[in-house]
Amino acid sequence: MKILLVAEYRQGKLLDNYTELLAFAGIMGAESVMFTVAEAAGALPNFDGRLYLAEVSQAGEYNPETHRQLLLDVVEMEQPEMIVLSHSSYGWDLAPRLAVALRAAQISEVVAVEDGQLVASMCNGKLRRTLKSRGKITVVTTQAGAFSPTDAATGAPTVIPVGGAASGKVKLLGYETAKPGGVDLARAEVIVSAGRGVGKPENVAMVANLAKALGGEYGASRPVVDSLWVEHNRQVGTTGHTVAPKLYIACGISGAVQHLAGMKKSEFVVAINTDRDAPIGDVADVFAVADLKQLLPILTEKLQAL
Amino acid sequence: MKLLVCIKQVPDMESKFKIGTDGWYDREGLAWRMNEYDEYGVEQAVQLKEQTGADLTVLCLGPEQVKETMKKALAMGCDRGVHIADDQSHLKDPYEIASIIAEFARDKNFDLIFTGMQSQDRASAQVGVMVAELMGLPAVTTIVGFAYADGKVTVKRELEGGVKATVEVAPPVLVTCQLGLNTPRYPTLPNIMKAKKKELLSIPAADLHKASGLQETAKIEFPAKKGGGVFLEGEVSTIADRLIGILKEKTAVLA
Ligand SMILES: Cc1cc2nc3c(=O)[nH]c(=O)nc-3n(C[C@H](O)[C@H](O)[C@H](O)COP(=O)(O)OP(=O)(O)OC[C@H]3O[C@@H](n4cnc5c(N)ncnc54)[C@H](O)[C@@H]3O)c2cc1C
Ligand SMILES: Nc1ncnc2c1ncn2[C@@H]1O[C@H](COP(=O)(O)O)[C@@H](O)[C@H]1O
């Protein structure tokens, strides 16, 4: 089998998630070729194979219509059976465009390969599905972190330049980066995080009080931040902070993959949740099946009395 | 201006799921709601309608029961509903769903189409972009900021690592909405009453269904339980004592 891997380039840099794509191709036992829009004179993927490269100065960093066309040209030349992208803001944007153009099935956010078949999770990780493509060619996006490279990637690609000027209808005007500031979650040894299960903004105080009693900081899941109950610099997850404290207590947090990505390296994890089946259980050392509104005040009181 | 917002009805993710017999989860006995991502789409569409006086249609493909969720969108401010009736929509793949929506929307001259970035149950993040591709429209995914002025749409795309990209595009365009794009409103009682009188058209999916699916579910199952952590249940005071005991024993944080 031949797989076409799509490496990403953003803000002048090649992103290193291409190594996860290589790991995926390794599991599939496939021959890989690669495509990227990058700078030929810049850093290239560590990869022994053909790399189809379009110059970013011409094709643009975000120009899905142009990138789609460049990729379709490569597909024409290489006739791969699979096209694999990361399930990232670049990958989930581009993949369906390829799928439609090729009338190919897209299998999104693959978390595992079992007996050569692709597995994806559903319902916030509570269920999983094995999916089968009906066509000759399949577009795949892989979940961030699901396929970790075992060895460091090595090698130098054979670069095959491909061309095409940006001609799409969307125009990238620029980037903005969140200002760091305020708390430094990365340094806290204990983090107690508030999830949507806190119910209302006033209850965030219960979480903050427990954090204080443990000499730590409080964090939050995304919905709590989106609701403006907690400021963004306390968000844990793929679009927030990655943390690895000695103790992480998740209060009313279901354990969506994007949250887990930010905290699963914590040394010891406690979940407080009314739903015994919540996927946070996958990473929890202790799972307290309880209403946080009842448990947190008592727990805090007892800790203060120690 | 003409606007379309696509919404999906999904089960509450706190539900206790059971494996169904038809290659999907069992749909009996679940609590249903609007896909969270689509709430942001509806809110943004309603805000744009309020800004420009545009006409706003909400579309949902699914069985009869999805009308309940559509009524919420109407109460939030959509002008009319188009229900594409399909008892089997859960077994259609994203390409089929997108083809049906595109078939409906093709000759309607929508200036803006809003979808969620993904549905909570399937989480494929495909339908929106596929609708746009099938209609030959530009699409911008994962937006967390939206502005319309001088005939142009300026959106912020959320990327990884706290980075956002500002993108400009002229309508007609499709955008897929990410969590936090805005603050979805709660329908007020008067608006819920008004919504009952709004037009809710039903079209059989078969009338629009021209593509066949490209993939199938081979198996659906519960993930193997990982972790093997300790469960603490019962009276909260006892849970608190046991938890403190475990923290003393297993971590250094209470030292
Ligand atoms: C591209 C992308 C990026 C994302 N980035 C992030 C990110 O960085 N961080 C992040 O957190 N999410 C992120 N998300 C969102 C993520 O998918 C989930 O939607 C989110 O993590 C859910 O937050 P939650 O667990 O607090 O809420 P929910 O999933 O709604 O869970 C609430 C939990 O609270 C429990 N509960 C309810 N009441 C109580 C009670 N009284 N006591 C105890 N428990 C209770 C429920 O059983 C449930 O498990 C991202 C999503 C996408 C698509
Ligand atoms: N059955 C449906 N009816 C209407 N819109 C849908 C349907 N399924 C998906 N969508 C839209 O497409 C988006 C992405 O869905 P998905 O590709 O399933 O993750 C959703 O957020 C909805 O806006």
Side-chain angles (χ1 to χ4, degrees):
Chain A
M1 154 138 75
K2 191 197 277 180
I3 302 192
L4 171 59
L5 309 175
V6 183
E8 297 176 36
Y9 185 89
R10 190 204 306 154
Q11 292 185 288
K13 281 199 197 80
L14 176 77
L15 304 191
D16 60 12
N17 53 4
Y18 76 87
T19 59
E20 298 184 17
L21 306 182
L22 284 169
F24 173 86
I27 291 173
M28 296 299 290
E31 177 203 346
S32 307
V33 293
M34 211 181 268
F35 167 86
T36 193
V37 175
E39 222 183 321
L44 296 179
N46 300 321
F47 163 67
D48 269 321
R50 292 190 290 287
L51 172 69
Y52 291 86
L53 188 141
E55 274 296 336
V56 65
S57 58
Q58 284 169 36
E61 288 193 6
Y62 179 68
N63 195 314
E65 288 150 304
T66 301
H67 292 200
R68 173 194 56 202
Q69 191 50 51
L70 289 164
L71 263 161
L72 292 174
D73 294 345
V74 175
V75 169
E76 188 65 33
M77 290 185 270
E78 288 285 350
Q79 303 285 326
E81 282 158 74
M82 242 181 216
I83 308 172
V84 186
L85 305 92
S86 292
H87 197 73
S88 62
S89 56
Y90 182 79
W92 68 59
D93 189 277
L94 190 53
R97 305 175 197 264
L98 298 167
V100 168
L102 295 162
R103 292 292 182 270
Q106 179 186 333
I107 301 188
S108 293
E109 208 168 5
V110 169
V111 296
V113 177
E114 282 168 14
D115 304 325
Q117 293 197 308
L118 305 178
V119 181
S121 66
M122 72 189 295
C123 294
N124 198 16
K126 284 190 166 181
L127 295 167
R128 68 204 310 255
R129 293 201 286 165
T130 305
L131 288 140
K132 251 182 19 213
S133 161
R134 293 198 183 121
K136 284 205 304 272
I137 179 161
T138 309
V139 179
V140 173
T141 62
T142 59
Q143 185 176 78
F147 300 94
S148 324
T150 40
D151 312 307
T154 54
T158 310
V159 176
I160 304 170
V162 286
S167 64
K169 295 190 194 111
V170 299
K171 201 156 107 204
L172 173 65
L173 299 182
Y175 296 99
E176 62 184 63
T177 307
K179 292 180 245 9
V183 287
D184 189 359
L185 281 189
R187 282 205 196 158
E189 296 203 336
V190 176
I191 298 174
V192 187
S193 283
R196 180 153 35 201
V198 297
K200 50 181 185 190
E202 300 85 84
N203 292 344
V204 172
M206 291 182 188
V207 175
N209 289 343
L210 175 59
K212 202 164 162 212
L214 286 161
E217 276 295 346
Y218 71 98
S221 70
R222 178 161 185 151
V224 173
V225 172
D226 285 341
S227 304
L228 309 177
W229 300 352
V230 167
E231 61 275 35
H232 182 264
N233 57 15
R234 291 186 187 269
Q235 182 176 314
V236 174
T238 43
T239 45
H241 292 282
T242 303
V243 298
K246 291 201 167 109
L247 172 63
Y248 188 88
I249 306 186
C251 308
I253 293 179
S254 62
V257 58
Q258 295 90 356
H259 189 82
L260 299 186
M263 50 63 72
K264 66 183 174 197
K265 298 227 168 76
S266 304
E267 276 175 41
F268 199 83
V269 176
V270 175
I272 299 173
N273 201 304
T274 41
D275 178 5
R276 206 179 193 280
D277 298 327
I280 187 81
D282 281 356
V283 298
D285 297 286
V286 178
F287 193 123
V289 186
D291 183 338
L292 65 90
K293 295 191 288 297
Q294 291 168 10
L295 179 58
L296 293 189
I298 293 185
L299 182 60
T300 306
E301 208 175 287
K302 286 182 191 274
L303 284 166
Q304 282 163 344
L306 284 184
Chain B
M1 275 225 284
K2 281 179 76 181
L3 316 177
L4 178 70
V5 57
C6 299
I7 63 168
K8 182 177 177 183
Q9 188 188 55
V10 296
D12 193 315
M13 292 302 134
E14 282 162 42
S15 306
K16 191 143 187 85
F17 288 97
K18 284 185 259 164
I19 310 284
T21 50
D22 59 358
W24 202 243
Y25 51 81
D26 188 347
R27 291 159 67 244
E28 291 300 316
L30 296 172
W32 297 87
R33 46 165 296 164
M34 193 188 304
N35 179 39
E36 196 181 348
Y37 296 81
D38 303 346
E39 289 182 5
Y40 293 94
V42 172
E43 176 61 33
Q44 204 60 53
V46 171
Q47 286 186 15
L48 184 58
K49 169 195 146 82
E50 289 168 346
Q51 180 192 335
T52 63
D55 179 81
L56 170 57
T57 301
V58 56
L59 176 150
C60 182
L61 175 73
E64 186 67 17
Q65 66 172 48
V66 305
K67 285 186 175 166
E68 281 314 305
T69 299
M70 297 187 74
K71 281 181 191 151
K72 177 173 181 188
L74 292 172
M76 286 172 77
C78 297
D79 294 309
R80 87 182 51 72
V82 172
H83 169 221
I84 303 181
D86 187 355
D87 287 340
Q88 300 298 309
S89 62
H90 60 291
L91 300 180
K92 293 196 166 65
D93 74 10
Y95 178 71
E96 276 178 289
I97 303 275
S99 302
I100 292 172
I101 296 174
E103 193 61 34
F104 166 79
R106 205 178 301 282
D107 55 358
K108 306 278 188 308
N109 297 316
F110 291 113
D111 298 284
L112 263 130
I113 303 180
F114 296 87
T115 74
M117 82 152 283
Q118 63 182 21
S119 53
Q120 286 174 282
D121 55 353
R122 174 165 51 202
S124 79
Q126 293 179 31
V127 169
V129 184
M130 285 184 165
V131 168
E133 289 291 309
L134 288 164
M135 296 177 66
L137 297 180
V140 184
T141 57
T142 338
I143 65 162
V144 290
F146 178 94
Y148 173 76
D150 307 323
K152 277 194 188 124
V153 172
T154 309
V155 296
K156 284 193 187 4
R157 291 193 71 215
E158 185 179 51
L159 313 178
E160 290 71 22
V163 180
K164 291 173 192 160
T166 308
V167 173
E168 188 184 86
V169 58
V173 57
L174 183 147
V175 293
T176 81
C177 303
Q178 165 66 317
L179 305 172
L181 169 62
N182 48 45
T183 307
R185 67 194 67 192
Y186 290 104
T188 60
L189 194 57
N191 285 341
I192 292 171
M193 300 313 288
K194 264 192 242 160
K196 292 194 170 143
K197 299 203 188 75
K198 289 184 181 171
E199 180 190 353
L200 214 175
L201 183 76
S202 249
I203 307 176
D207 290 3
L208 301 163
H209 191 213
K210 302 201 170 139
S212 44
L214 300 168
Q215 59 183 287
E216 61 200 73
T217 303
K219 191 164 67 182
I220 175 162
E221 62 196 336
F222 292 109
K225 279 268 167 258
K226 286 182 224 147
V230 186
F231 278 89
L232 302 179
E233 282 170 277
E235 222 260 306
V236 282
S237 173
T238 323
I239 293 180
D241 289 333
R242 289 186 59 200
L243 183 52
I244 291 171
I246 294 172
L247 294 182
K248 277 185 178 153
E249 192 190 325
K250 299 271 171 75
T251 76
V253 301
L254 293 182

